[in-house]
Amino acid sequence: MNNIRTNWYKKAVVYQIYPRSFYDANNDGLGDIQGIIEKLDYLKELGINCIWLSPIYDSPQKDNGYDISDYEGIYPPFGTMEDCKKMIDEMHKRGIRLIMDLVANHTSDQHKWFLEALKDKNSPYRDYYYIRKGKRNGKKPPNNWKGFFGERAWERIGDTDEWYLHLFTKEQPDLNWENPKVREEIKGVLKFWLDLGADGFRCDVINLISKKQDFRSRIPLPALTGMDAYINGPRLHEFLHELYVDVLSKYDCMTVGEAVMATPKVNISLVDPKREELDMIFNFSHTDSDNFFGVKYFYRKFKLTRFKRRLNKQQVSLAGKGWNSLFIENHDQRRSVGRFGTTEDDINSSKSLAAAYFFLQGTPFIYQGQEFGMRNAHFESMDEIKDVESFNVNAILSKVPVFKKRFKQILFDVSRDNARTPVLWDDSVYGGFSKVEPWIRVNKSKNEVNAKHALDDKDSLLYFYKDLIKLKYDYKVIEDGTFKMIKIANPHFFAYERENDSEKLVVISSFSKTCRRFKYSEIIPNSNIVLSNFKEHEKAFKPFETRVYLFKKS
Ligand code: ISL
């Protein structure tokens, strides 16, 4: 087949925008599309060349847009389709590509398909969803499955004997991908956006789209009962391949799938180019290294060696076979400052972490505000929290005796809202995000941590990210070099080599609060350093010093 796909994603640096918190151009307290347009020059200057835009589609916003009521319409407070076209145009003019968020495991309960399905028992839309008879004359759900926000995965339809499946909130009914008509509809959505100019998709919870069809109860688990039936279901690969063949292969686009709880085996099966499914996935094994069982509420102390081992596993298992995504933050994760061995009082720790993840093999992603070190929100009351997940989990876990006392604090620490406070553009009253009070409270650190402050200081994290991005484009070895972790058991350093026929790149990042030596034969402290957060280098690394060495082979 004549392949029109250029795999441009291998040269991409992607910046994620969570629109409701990015920039409010019309001063209604909510970010918007015009706000994105206004900040494109800032992003161009940062150096990124691709944007992943979290959902802007029409939606009742029960889950901040991850509950879509019209895949081809824009949520009016964010703007119009005309604004959207202008935004795509302005991005492309600046050499920035756009990947849209494809939320196709579920729709909103206000989507016309679901409304039609409920209205009429004979409607063809009924089979777009999983609607099943309940047990005990319909009074009990069809099985004991639980969803991602802690609740049971079924909602009764009025006082009928039927229930529908929802793996997220009850306002997000799961689509039935077994139905070929559903797959055609989703292909139509993909085509619509690609024809409009989108360059690809971040595919929300994509490894949930196929479910085992027995719908039997499973052994109850502390979380996600039934997961063996709905994670990596039997027809997952077939459905993805179908999307690829019928749509994705026909455009020079890219896909990154969000894959929950992906093992290395699942990871490679989704991104092996020979299988023609996805280009890469988000694998959360490293971000989950500070919790038990992949459940963030069961959190534990961060350990650099655990974090490294998990990233190493991702890298090694895909080496030479498939592409990686590289990330430390997104809109569902709390901020990395103060999380992955970094501290709020030493910006060098964020620089050290940034260099550590940025030059691994794969496409780096930066989440809005990460580039200048936005911090967690430090919530103090439930009134400050807006996320439906936090509410639903709070309602359940606050009743469990072992959680009772500590649970609120855990919730404040790990709530997804930590990443969703407005981007701090300056130190004005609402952090330069808006002139009116935003939809969620402004981060209290606005006076110390904001984009303006970072732009005024050549030593800021932002300029360091700028340098990282530039290096990523400059050296081919970052794209195609082999990967080798160095001294993986060392608890103070994150170090690795990338090597191809002509170059070798070595990254050594200290995560130590004291000066330490890192014995490694090939380096001489002051030569071949292409990037560092310190100007002078001695044998010992200063606290949180990072050095990137580049050796040319003759
Ligand atoms: O955020 C999580 C845990 O706190 C994850 O379990 C998250 O729910 C999961 O990664 C799926 O996330 C995606 O789909 C959700 C949406 O709420 C998230 O924002 C989105 O990234 C449902 O569409």
Side-chain angles (χ1 to χ4, degrees):
M1 193 168 50
N2 179 17
N3 199 347
I4 61 155
R5 297 182 115 231
T6 60
N7 296 342
W8 54 263
Y9 60 83
K10 295 190 176 176
K11 296 182 174 26
V13 177
V14 188
Y15 186 92
Q16 183 193 350
I17 292 181
Y18 193 68
R20 60 167 42 228
S21 302
F22 188 62
Y23 182 55
D24 178 14
N26 68 350
N27 293 307
D28 62 354
L30 210 60
D32 43 50
I33 296 174
Q34 284 299 338
I36 297 172
I37 297 173
E38 284 187 33
K39 294 294 180 188
L40 287 178
D41 286 333
Y42 164 84
L43 295 176
K44 175 78 192 155
E45 198 42 44
L46 179 62
I48 58 96
N49 60 9
C50 182
I51 287 171
W52 151 25
L53 183 55
S54 279
I56 53 167
Y57 317 100
D58 208 0
S59 157
Q61 302 286 320
K62 291 284 176 199
D63 187 16
N64 292 356
Y66 284 87
D67 50 322
I68 298 172
S69 55
D70 180 359
Y71 287 98
E72 295 172 13
I74 305 293
Y75 177 52
F78 287 168
T80 62
M81 191 50 89
E82 280 317 300
D83 295 328
C84 180
K85 287 182 185 158
K86 168 102 175 121
M87 174 189 75
I88 298 177
D89 203 41
E90 292 295 328
M91 286 179 183
H92 286 169
K93 264 197 225 156
R94 290 167 177 79
I96 297 175
R97 288 186 164 95
L98 170 67
I99 62 174
M100 298 292 285
D101 214 312
L102 175 77
V103 189
N105 173 69
H106 43 268
T107 67
S108 157
D109 65 347
Q110 298 306 306
H111 194 290
K112 68 171 189 279
W113 303 335
F114 194 68
L115 294 175
E116 289 295 323
L118 290 200
K119 227 193 289 165
D120 173 7
K121 274 207 153 199
N122 299 314
S123 162
Y125 290 110
R126 211 142 165 108
D127 196 31
Y128 273 40
Y129 297 90
Y130 287 114
I131 296 178
R132 294 287 183 278
K133 280 218 159 51
K135 288 185 180 158
R136 306 233 185 115
N137 290 330
K139 291 203 177 72
K140 295 277 174 213
N143 63 34
N144 68 347
W145 296 2
K146 279 191 183 163
F148 282 78
F149 296 160
E151 308 155 301
R152 70 173 175 217
W154 296 91
E155 183 69 15
R156 193 170 177 182
I157 303 178
D159 56 4
T160 70
D161 58 359
E162 290 189 305
W163 299 64
Y164 65 86
L165 179 72
H166 63 91
L167 294 180
F168 293 89
T169 71
K170 63 180 184 334
E171 292 89 1
Q172 290 164 297
D174 277 52
L175 280 169
N176 171 16
W177 280 64
E178 300 287 319
N179 182 348
K181 286 194 201 134
V182 167
R183 304 203 295 277
E184 288 311 310
E185 299 271 15
I186 298 302
K187 286 179 214 167
V189 172
L190 292 177
K191 280 192 207 132
F192 175 86
W193 284 100
L194 290 166
D195 290 337
L196 206 79
D199 301 285
F201 300 94
R202 173 267 185 187
C203 311
D204 192 63
V205 289
I206 200 68
N207 63 334
L208 305 185
I209 58 175
S210 160
K211 278 98 181 164
K212 284 187 187 156
Q213 296 295 300
D214 59 59
F215 291 103
R216 276 187 296 105
S217 283
R218 299 300 201 268
I219 296 168
L221 303 172
L224 301 177
T225 300
M227 63 193 241
D228 79 283
Y230 59 69
I231 299 185
N232 310 319
R235 299 183 70 189
L236 171 64
H237 295 293
E238 177 194 334
F239 294 157
L240 289 175
H241 185 62
E242 186 179 321
L243 293 188
Y244 185 90
V245 171
D246 289 354
V247 185
L248 300 167
S249 61
K250 299 183 174 145
Y251 294 82
D252 187 18
C253 66
M254 75 96 126
T255 52
V256 48
E258 186 199 29
V260 292
M261 301 196 175
T263 58
K265 207 169 142 211
V266 168
N267 195 339
I268 186 64
S269 72
L270 290 166
V271 305
D272 179 350
K274 290 197 286 294
R275 299 178 62 128
E276 304 188 313
E277 295 180 19
L278 298 168
D279 294 314
M280 63 187 118
I281 64 159
F282 291 123
N283 184 321
F284 296 96
S285 68
H286 62 299
T287 51
D288 278 336
S289 69
D290 62 357
N291 66 48
F292 292 101
F293 320 119
V295 180
K296 66 181 173 189
Y297 303 99
F298 305 152
Y299 72 34
R300 57 179 166 181
K301 201 167 173 284
F302 173 77
K303 239 177 118 179
L304 184 65
T305 45
R306 202 185 288 130
F307 183 69
K308 281 198 287 182
R309 282 186 206 287
R310 294 199 175 187
L311 278 169
N312 185 52
K313 207 166 179 179
Q314 288 178 21
Q315 292 278 305
V316 171
S317 62
L318 292 185
K321 296 188 216 147
W323 199 252
N324 280 290
S325 74
L326 310 169
F327 68 99
I328 50 172
E329 294 191 10
N330 70 27
H331 66 291
D332 292 334
Q333 301 281 328
R334 62 186 186 279
R335 293 283 183 181
S336 60
V337 180
R339 182 176 183 192
F340 301 125
T342 53
T343 76
E344 286 197 352
D345 49 23
D346 191 342
I347 202 73
N348 283 308
S349 63
S350 287
K351 293 182 180 174
S352 211
L353 174 66
Y357 94 95
F358 219 78
F359 296 140
L360 297 171
Q361 197 263 353
T363 299
F365 286 70
I366 300 169
Y367 177 64
Q368 63 185 33
Q370 177 190 326
E371 74 278 18
F372 58 87
M374 273 193 69
R375 296 177 184 171
N376 285 308
H378 299 292
F379 294 117
E380 284 163 8
S381 124
M382 267 322 268
D383 300 338
E384 297 177 329
I385 305 261
K386 308 289 172 204
D387 182 19
V388 63
E389 180 199 53
S390 298
F391 284 121
N392 292 5
V393 174
N394 180 44
I396 295 161
L397 283 192
S398 54
K399 290 189 203 120
V400 178
V402 351
F403 278 120
K404 224 174 199 153
K405 250 178 116 187
R406 266 188 31 86
F407 185 65
K408 282 283 179 321
Q409 192 54 49
I410 296 178
L411 190 78
F412 295 156
D413 290 347
V414 303
S415 170
R416 304 193 296 184
D417 280 344
N418 278 298
R420 298 176 180 185
T421 62
V423 170
L424 296 169
W425 295 103
D426 59 38
D427 61 6
S428 61
V429 56
Y430 299 120
F433 164 76
S434 178
K435 292 201 170 62
V436 304
E437 192 172 353
W439 68 278
I440 187 169
R441 89 140 157 73
V442 172
N443 200 307
K444 286 178 190 146
S445 61
K446 73 176 171 61
N447 292 346
E448 308 97 77
V449 182
N450 63 64
K452 182 169 181 302
H453 199 77
L455 285 166
D456 290 344
D457 170 10
K458 288 275 185 260
D459 281 332
S460 67
L461 181 62
L462 190 141
Y463 282 100
F464 191 77
Y465 266 103
K466 232 177 127 167
D467 291 343
L468 285 171
I469 296 168
K470 194 170 169 312
L471 279 194
K472 153 89 189 157
Y473 301 141
D474 282 354
Y475 295 111
K476 187 97 175 41
V477 66
I478 299 171
E479 182 188 329
D480 65 8
T482 56
F483 165 83
K484 198 170 128 222
M485 192 76 92
I486 313 167
K487 295 187 198 276
I488 197 162
N490 184 319
H492 305 294
F493 287 88
F494 189 123
Y496 57 97
E497 301 174 343
R498 305 289 316 279
E499 186 167 6
N500 66 12
D501 291 344
S502 53
E503 294 162 336
K504 180 168 181 175
L505 183 102
V506 180
V507 179
I508 305 176
S509 286
S510 166
F511 281 74
S512 173
K513 290 181 182 155
T514 57
C515 290
R516 278 181 196 275
R517 295 276 293 271
F518 185 80
K519 290 208 186 85
Y520 178 62
S521 57
E522 301 195 33
I523 60 163
I524 311 162
N526 278 304
S527 52
N528 298 86
I529 294 179
V530 284
L531 182 66
S532 176
N533 50 348
F534 287 91
K535 287 190 184 71
E536 302 297 324
H537 308 281
E538 284 138 48
K539 277 205 170 128
F541 280 68
K542 294 179 192 67
F544 298 114
E545 177 174 344
T546 180
R547 300 177 197 166
V548 180
Y549 291 89
L550 195 274
F551 304 96
K552 294 261 183 216
K553 297 184 182 173
S554 46

